[in-house]
Amino acid sequence: MSELAQWQELHVALHKITLALLQLARQEAWDELLEAVPQQQAALQRLESSPVPVGVETELAKQMVALIQETDGANQEVVARLAAWRGEVSTILEEIDQTRVNGKKLVRAYGA
């Protein structure tokens, strides 16, 4: 396999994994998403350690730029959805903690 084909394959693999993560985020399948993140990290590491081929054709370069931009956009949406989810979980945990504190106060007040 040529260096160019290998480089392109690495980008496509990262793109597919990122789109799968985005789908999981849209479905709010958080556990599955968190289990899949290492796959994306591994694909990114493989890409980062791969040399960029010299003399990439103009048309291929345009296709790769579009693929990279779509991958980046999908990744940004995943991060935004995870941040929103983290906020929801934080609110729920705070409510649980507050309920526990109030429960302790009631027990002390009424000796139940």
Side-chain angles (χ1 to χ4, degrees):
M1 177 180 293
S2 74
E3 191 176 86
L4 179 60
Q6 196 172 24
W7 182 72
Q8 186 177 12
E9 187 176 285
L10 291 171
H11 275 283
V12 170
L14 177 62
H15 181 70
K16 285 180 181 179
I17 291 167
T18 303
L19 291 181
L21 291 178
L22 178 57
Q23 186 64 30
L24 291 170
R26 287 177 176 167
Q27 295 171 350
E28 297 183 2
W30 306 119
D31 292 337
E32 290 138 11
L33 187 143
L34 293 175
E35 290 173 9
V37 166
Q39 294 173 8
Q40 184 193 40
Q41 292 171 339
L44 186 57
Q45 286 176 341
R46 285 190 299 273
L47 185 60
E48 288 174 344
S49 65
S50 175
V52 177
V54 179
V56 177
E57 302 167 17
T58 306
E59 189 57 37
L60 177 59
K62 287 179 186 177
Q63 291 173 3
M64 294 308 298
V65 166
L67 184 72
I68 292 166
Q69 288 173 338
E70 186 178 347
T71 301
D72 185 53
N75 203 41
Q76 288 179 21
E77 185 176 338
V78 168
V79 169
R81 287 176 180 269
L82 279 171
W85 171 64
R86 187 171 68 191
E88 289 176 28
V89 170
S90 177
T91 300
I92 292 168
L93 291 175
E94 287 173 12
E95 290 172 359
I96 290 170
D97 190 49
Q98 189 61 39
T99 300
R100 189 171 34 116
V101 168
N102 288 340
K104 286 180 182 179
K105 287 179 182 177
L106 288 172
V107 167
R108 277 183 283 182
Y110 293 103

